[in-house]
Amino acid sequence: MALFPQIRLRRLRRTEALREMVRETRLHVADLVYPLFAVPGQQVREEITSLPGNFHLSPDLLAKEAESVAKLGIPAVLLFGMPQDKDEAGSGAYDEQGVVQKAVRAMKRAVPELVVITDVCLCQYTDHGQCGVVMDGYVDNDRTLELIARTALSHAEAGADVVAPSDMMDGRVAAIRSALDTNSFHETIILSYAAKYASAFYGPFREAAGSTPRFGDRRSYQLDPANLRQALREVELDVQEGADMILVKPALAYLDVIAAVRQRFHHPVAAYNVSGEFAMVKAAAQRGWLDEAACVLELLTAMRRAGADLIITYHAKEVAGWLKPGAAT
Ligand code: PBG
């Protein structure tokens, strides 16, 4: 049996050309999805303090942003909306003239080939900040389903290519598929946030989206971070209900979940590199403690290695630059 000194694994690592040849995982700009935040009005462009380098944009400027994202080679965006007004039933979420609906129309008009994914949830639209209809202090699953399905349908009508429910209600994928199909949106794709955990890493996003719950938390519907098997049941059910793609969120502390989902299912898997994960690297880099490009590329490669096909990241535009041939990283 050949062992050291005949066997030397360092042989395959000696030069960059050799390392490149035997590299098992690659990160490509085509794997990236860039999240965007739509706000009402015109010519509005405000930097989001908790997500440096990311902006609240009005639909007219989102159309321009769509062009610059597409020019970088990023194939898709994930759109969130910040409505003018919030109410108990989150009615801004399924308003034909809502901010997301307007933004989708503007972006698809400007760049038809850009894949527009919309986040389907009520939490940015409800005055209490919970992801569904609240009855006696508890988020009512079945009453929420109808509104979630209505929201997804209104996004499809506006031209969204993909709807991405992030509410974690039971039965939402089936409710959405049926609403879409009944209205002839057979081609609209469902990307289900199937394994979405009740995570503290959503902090910067909630500030950006104004969606911090006014009371309680989201632990009665989002997954307990301690659970893997339950996440697989969530994925299994969403797949049975007709999800076309599966999402695991957050990514960094849940690489084992990504790997387990990858192993068991044949659907495309997306990882959401969430706001708190972005913020940790960004803040450390701003202090000069970390090399931002190197750390981000390492983290995103790890998500790919774990099994993610797609990565949703606030770093997408920067990554597109870093991945350009000849870019100094
Ligand atoms: C809304 C939603 C959240 C995120 C995406 N969609 C917040 C939450 O569930 O509290 C978080 C995204 C991020 O942190 O980057 N349902």
Side-chain angles (χ1 to χ4, degrees):
M1 187 172 49
L3 275 174
F4 179 83
Q6 289 81 18
I7 300 289
R8 290 177 184 268
L9 293 185
R10 287 184 59 190
R11 281 183 200 123
L12 293 174
R13 300 183 204 134
R14 192 170 51 82
T15 69
E16 179 52 23
L18 288 167
R19 292 191 291 271
E20 176 81 41
M21 273 175 73
V22 299
R23 191 155 291 144
E24 298 169 27
T25 310
R26 289 174 206 276
L27 181 66
H28 192 269
V29 65
D31 310 325
L32 304 176
V33 178
Y34 186 51
L36 287 169
F37 295 86
V39 292
Q42 282 210 321
Q43 298 294 315
V44 183
R45 179 184 157 90
E46 279 161 14
E47 188 163 19
I48 302 170
T49 27
S50 59
L51 291 170
N54 291 266
F55 295 83
H56 284 139
L57 296 168
S58 51
D60 52 330
L61 296 189
L62 278 167
K64 293 227 164 68
E65 182 69 9
E67 285 166 15
S68 85
V69 168
K71 210 170 281 168
L72 286 166
I74 299 168
V77 295
L78 171 62
L79 198 56
F80 294 94
M82 314 264 306
Q84 196 93 58
D85 304 300
K86 301 180 188 240
D87 59 31
E88 209 183 353
S91 55
Y94 38 88
D95 176 358
E96 204 183 308
Q97 293 307 319
V99 67
V100 163
Q101 290 78 356
K102 281 187 182 165
V104 171
R105 287 193 287 265
M107 294 172 85
K108 288 302 285 186
R109 211 180 300 128
V111 191
E113 70 277 13
L114 182 72
V115 176
V116 173
I117 309 172
T118 54
D119 182 84
V120 176
C121 196
L122 300 183
C123 61
Q124 283 112 256
Y125 305 89
T126 51
D127 49 15
H128 46 67
Q130 292 286 355
C131 299
V133 177
V134 175
M135 302 293 291
D136 302 323
Y138 186 71
V139 175
D140 187 291
N141 193 85
D142 300 13
R143 280 176 218 259
T144 302
L145 286 185
E146 190 209 332
L147 303 184
I148 289 292
R150 246 168 97 177
T151 303
L153 178 59
S154 80
H155 293 176
E157 283 167 346
D161 302 283
V162 183
V163 291
S166 67
D167 53 292
M168 289 301 280
M169 297 300 123
D170 286 321
R172 82 275 172 77
V173 173
I176 290 173
R177 189 72 266 162
S178 135
L180 292 173
D181 287 354
T182 308
N183 291 278
S184 301
F185 288 98
H186 306 285
E187 298 294 339
T188 305
I189 295 162
I190 299 178
L191 163 62
S192 170
Y193 286 67
K196 177 173 179 178
Y197 285 88
S199 171
F201 287 96
Y202 305 151
F205 172 93
R206 290 183 186 172
E207 194 183 321
S211 65
T212 307
R214 293 280 158 77
F215 67 90
D217 52 43
R218 301 199 167 139
R219 283 185 278 191
S220 78
Y221 40 104
Q222 297 179 347
L223 281 163
D224 182 334
N227 291 346
L228 169 63
R229 294 188 295 269
Q230 210 175 77
L232 295 173
R233 292 192 70 197
E234 285 284 358
V235 175
E236 200 171 6
L237 285 173
D238 283 7
V239 161
Q240 283 169 1
E241 289 179 27
D244 300 288
M245 302 194 280
I246 295 300
L247 191 137
V248 176
K249 174 185 178 182
L252 209 40
Y254 299 86
L255 294 178
D256 58 325
V257 181
I258 297 172
V261 171
R262 168 74 299 148
Q263 207 173 29
R264 286 171 181 77
F265 300 92
H266 296 148
H267 293 58
V269 175
Y272 199 142
N273 177 214
V274 300
S275 58
E277 300 171 352
F278 169 88
M280 287 195 296
V281 178
K282 194 53 107 181
Q286 283 175 348
R287 293 193 159 206
W289 291 348
L290 285 179
D291 175 337
E292 186 175 18
C295 285
V296 170
L297 293 176
E298 183 175 330
L299 290 173
L300 300 193
T301 300
M303 292 166 201
R304 295 269 298 127
R305 190 191 64 232
D309 301 293
L310 303 171
I311 301 171
I312 302 171
T313 177
Y314 302 97
H315 270 116
K317 289 173 77 178
E318 291 160 287
V319 171
W322 297 328
L323 288 178
K324 281 228 178 77
T329 50

